[in-house]
Amino acid sequence: MLRVGLTGGLGSGKSTAARLFAGLGAHVLQSDAIGRELMEPRQAVYAKIAAHFGPDVVLADGRLDRGALARIAFTDGRVEELNAIVHPAVIAREAELSEEIRARDSRAVVIVESALIFETKYSETKYSETKYGETKYGGLHGASGAGWQDRFDRIILVTAPEEVKIARFVARSAAGDALSNERRAGLEAEARRRIAQQIPDEQKSALCDYVLTNGGALTELEWQVDQLWPLLQDAAR
C-alpha cells in the first residue's frame, strides 16, 4: 500500500485533484469530511469542542454552529485551540481507515486530502506542544522528524496563484448568489486571513515529491494527474 498526502492551500483545487485520483482508482480520505463526522453530536470531538468553546457554538437543535466556530477560530485567533481538539482525532481516524484498506488491498493507493499536512503539530499517535518555528507562518514543524513523514510515503502539493485561490473561495462561498461589493470584499479579506495562516507553497514544495499546478483549465490538471497516477501505482506495488 502507498500512503499519499495530498495538500494545498485554500482554493488551490486539491479537492478537484482528489476527485480525479479517485476516478482512476485511488482510495481518497478527506480530512474535512472526517472532521465533520467527528464533530457530530454524541461524538467525543463534539463534546470537547462544546465544553471548550461554550454554548455560543451550539445551535438550538444540538448541532455545532460551524459559522460561529469558524469566526471564533479564525477571526478571534483561536484556531490552534480548535486544532488541538480536532486534528489528533482526525489523524487517528485516517490511520484506522488506511489500515482497513490495506487489509483489503495490499497494493492500494490511499490518498489523504488535507490542507494542513505540514501545518499541524499532531501525529496519529502522539503530539508535541513544541512551536513550529520562528517565521510568521510557523515554519515547517519538525522538518527533520515531523509526524507527516511517518504518516505518508509520498506528498503531493496542488498550487495556484493567490488571486485564483481567493476568487475560488469567493465563488464557493457565494454558491451562485449575487454578491454585494461589501460582501465580496469581506469574503476576499477572509480568504487572505486564512491563506496567511498557512505555510506558503514555496516552502511546502521543497518537501513534496510532486507538485501539481492548477491555475488554468481543468484539462491541464487532468493531464498532470493522469501522468502521475501510474507512478503512484508502481510505488504501491
Side-chain angles (χ1 to χ4, degrees):
M1 183 181 77
L2 187 73
R3 304 167 303 165
V4 180
L6 177 64
T7 194
L10 175 142
S12 63
K14 65 185 176 299
S15 295
T16 301
R19 287 195 295 272
L20 294 173
F21 279 117
L24 294 172
H27 299 264
V28 175
L29 305 178
Q30 295 178 308
S31 293
D32 284 350
I34 293 171
R36 286 193 295 270
E37 179 182 339
L38 296 178
M39 291 165 68
E40 289 295 320
R42 295 181 294 280
Q43 297 287 335
V45 169
Y46 167 94
K48 290 179 181 179
I49 290 173
H52 185 80
F53 290 99
D56 288 344
V57 301
V58 180
L59 295 168
D61 62 5
R63 294 179 297 113
L64 288 176
D65 185 338
R66 298 182 187 278
L69 189 59
R71 286 191 295 274
I72 290 172
F74 291 102
T75 305
D76 296 348
R78 301 180 65 185
V79 67
E80 193 54 40
E81 296 174 39
L82 180 61
N83 290 345
I85 297 171
V86 177
H87 285 193
V90 170
I91 293 171
R93 181 58 178 154
E94 289 167 353
E96 292 173 1
L97 293 171
S98 294
E99 286 306 310
E100 291 175 7
I101 294 168
R102 184 199 296 270
R104 299 194 303 268
D105 181 5
S106 62
R107 296 184 175 184
V109 176
V110 178
I111 295 180
V112 172
E113 177 201 337
S114 173
L116 303 176
I117 286 174
F118 295 118
E119 285 85 349
T120 186
K121 300 174 184 179
Y122 310 99
S123 72
E124 62 267 32
T125 55
K126 61 183 179 179
Y127 55 91
S128 168
E129 290 302 323
T130 304
K131 297 300 181 184
Y132 298 136
E134 299 302 326
T135 72
K136 72 174 182 177
Y137 300 103
L140 294 171
H141 173 58
S144 62
W148 56 267
Q149 292 181 317
D150 297 326
R151 293 170 61 199
F152 302 113
D153 305 304
R154 302 287 190 278
I155 302 286
I156 302 169
L157 174 66
V158 184
T159 68
E162 182 168 307
E163 291 309 310
V164 172
K165 293 179 180 180
I166 293 170
R168 288 171 178 163
F169 175 81
V170 170
R172 184 169 65 239
S173 300
D177 294 336
L179 296 175
S180 66
N181 290 338
E182 182 179 4
R183 175 60 174 157
R184 180 176 297 277
L187 288 171
E188 290 174 348
E190 175 65 17
R192 289 190 173 90
R193 278 195 297 270
R194 296 193 184 195
I195 289 171
Q197 292 177 345
Q198 297 176 341
I199 298 168
D201 290 346
E202 292 77 10
Q203 287 184 257
K204 291 179 181 177
S205 61
L207 298 176
C208 292
D209 299 282
Y210 310 103
V211 177
L212 305 178
T213 57
N214 185 35
L218 176 60
T219 52
E220 296 177 9
L221 181 62
E222 290 174 335
W223 183 87
Q224 294 172 78
V225 169
D226 287 343
Q227 296 302 304
L228 179 53
W229 176 241
L231 302 181
L232 300 180
Q233 287 182 301
D234 288 344
R237 299 188 185 101

